[in-house]
Amino acid sequence: MCLPVHETLPYKPSGRVGDRMLMTPGPTALPPSVREAMRGELINPDVDPAFADRYDTLLNKLATVFGTDDEMVVMGGEGILGLEAAIASTVAPGDHVLCLSNGPYGDGFADFVESYGGEATLVGADYDDPLPIAELERTLADGDFDVATMVHCETPTGTLNDLGPALDLLGEHDVLTVVDAVSSLGGTPVPTDRIDICLGASQKCFSAPPGLATCSVSDAAWERIEARDPDSLYTNLLPWHDAEQPYPYTHLTTLVMALDEALDLLLEEGLDAVYDRHREAAAACREWGHDLGLEPYPGPTRSSPTVTAFSVPGRATALQDRLRTDHDVTLATGFGDLKDDILRVGHMGYNADIDRVERAMEALDAVL
């Protein structure tokens, strides 16, 4: 299969056979300029005003990528920190939280809720089904909820959920919304302006190193957090809501510089072009897969443009091992019960490139 190279990519990944290639759905491979950004002289963020200025500019760039005017927060920790902080900051003991789910991360929100004393109602569906909107409507009609959680892209299954119908219903019932968009932000449009707390992370479509949790927080969410006055420490968003000191702890300066450069690359390319590039990479990956007799899980109409999960029952681990050993290509398997049944290609961020997809799929062809 011969495919064209996308013309608008502002950096050109190496596609040479013999280079180890990371094609997982986060962490992704890093653009050279992002790696270079981490080589700069270390700055003390607590005393150097240059860092404060750079950080403020980064927040503005991040808001542009998120597509929101809401306040931005960048916490020092992997993306899961953002998910837990959103719950720790908004859920008090006894609060009723609706967790809408069709995947592992959607289910996991219920665990966070219960760990902070909230009462979680899981409105769930099988992992290969859409979000259960009819059941959501019945559940909202039967009870009162303070907060609702959901996931935009369920990375373990490659599923991109249509959040519109759920957000419509939750808005009608004045329920605060928390959305995990960790593996979709920067790769496909996210309805951030309709979400109270929208969660991202540095190591997915932004193609920066893992270690920074990003989120946007609406005015309604801040009102709830201030009324809640969380007693948690590092998982508390409230200390970040301070105009005089926007980062309450010593920030991870090297990672911040890398994320700043990664955002520059996205904005230089233009978000529409970025989204087109992700769609093209996903289409190429699935065309290859179809030619190899592989179908995406849960199906092509609901698969994310940032990751393809191929159904390979009972073979995922063996294929992953051979790809890494024989071809220097690293893919990911599934989670839990699907660990050996799903092989995932991460075509997000720096990896949303036809050449890189082509090399990964050529290697998969060889091991099959």
Side-chain angles (χ1 to χ4, degrees), residues 21 58 66 86 114 116 119-120 136 165 168 184 198 200 209-210 221 240 255 282 308 320 337:
M21 190 168 68
L58 176 141
F66 269 64
E114 291 171 356
Y116 285 94
E119 297 183 12
L136 170 65
D168 288 342
S184 55
C198 186
W240 298 85
L255 296 181
T308 294
Q320 181 190 51
D337 293 341

Side-chain angles (χ1 to χ4, degrees), residues 60 62-72 192-193 195 216-217:
N60 290 331
L62 198 59
T64 300
V65 174
F66 269 64
T68 185
D69 292 327
D70 290 341
E71 184 175 349
M72 303 301 304
T192 312
D193 58 344
I195 297 167
S216 61
V217 186

Side-chain angles (χ1 to χ4, degrees), residues 319-368:
L319 291 171
Q320 181 190 51
D321 289 344
R322 287 194 57 197
L323 284 161
R324 182 171 52 240
T325 302
D326 298 348
H327 298 274
D328 287 334
V329 172
T330 303
L331 303 186
T333 60
F335 281 14
D337 293 341
L338 295 172
K339 178 174 176 56
D340 204 30
D341 296 332
I342 285 179
L343 188 67
R344 295 182 292 149
V345 183
H347 36 72
M348 59 174 60
Y350 186 54
N351 289 339
D353 172 76
I354 297 295
D355 280 359
R356 292 179 73 83
V357 168
E358 186 174 45
R359 178 180 159 191
M361 296 307 292
E362 283 178 341
L364 182 56
D365 186 1
V367 301
L368 287 171

